[in-house]
Amino acid sequence: GLAPKYSATPLGLAMSRPELVAIRKNYSFLLKKLSPEDISGSLRAEGLLTDHEYEEVCAERLASKSNDIILQALMRRPPGFLAKLITVLEEEKEANQHIIDRLNAAVA
C-alpha cells in the first residue's frame, strides 16, 4: 500500500501538539457532529482546505466521510488551525456551540 503522508513536523512532536490531541480525542464526535456542507467553503477560504480537498468534500455523499477528509486535512495544517476551525464554527454559533466548547476544553 501507499505509505502515509506525514507533514515536515517530526511525528513525535506532531503527536504532542495540543490541537492535534484535541482532534484525535474528539475524532468520532467530530465525524458525527461537524456539518461539512456548512463549513467546507469557509475552511477553504481560511486556507484550511486546499481546492482539491474541498472538491473531495463536496463530491462525497456521506457527511462522516466528508468530515474524515476535513479532519485529516486539518491535521496536516500548520499550528494555529484549531483556532481557525473554531472561528469557522462560530459563524454558525448556535448550531456549533457544543462542538466549540468541546474543542476549547480539549486544549485548555
Side-chain angles (χ1 to χ4, degrees):
L2 294 171
K5 290 195 281 281
Y6 294 116
S7 64
T9 318
L11 198 56
L13 184 66
M15 291 299 215
S16 65
R17 272 178 37 206
E19 47 186 355
L20 291 176
V21 173
I23 296 290
R24 284 206 180 82
K25 265 197 202 147
N26 294 294
Y27 207 89
S28 57
F29 170 77
L30 293 168
L31 275 185
K32 288 189 209 100
K33 300 290 184 187
L34 289 176
S35 179
E37 62 280 358
D38 293 340
I39 63 170
S40 55
S42 297
L43 291 174
R44 180 169 71 164
E46 285 287 337
L48 295 177
L49 287 180
T50 64
D51 289 346
H52 176 72
E53 288 160 348
Y54 174 75
E55 285 165 14
E56 277 191 305
V57 169
C58 293
E60 184 52 63
R61 288 200 319 274
L62 293 173
S64 60
K65 209 58 179 109
S66 291
N67 285 335
D68 193 44
I69 295 166
I70 288 170
L71 294 171
Q72 292 295 329
L74 289 175
M75 292 195 295
R76 292 192 294 268
R77 301 288 95 86
F81 74 80
L82 194 65
K84 288 181 179 175
L85 171 62
I86 289 169
T87 301
V88 166
L89 291 171
E90 283 175 340
E91 292 170 9
E92 301 282 334
K93 201 167 172 60
E94 296 305 305
N96 293 318
Q97 192 58 54
H98 61 300
I99 303 173
I100 295 166
D101 293 343
R102 187 131 165 196
L103 290 173
N104 280 326
V107 288

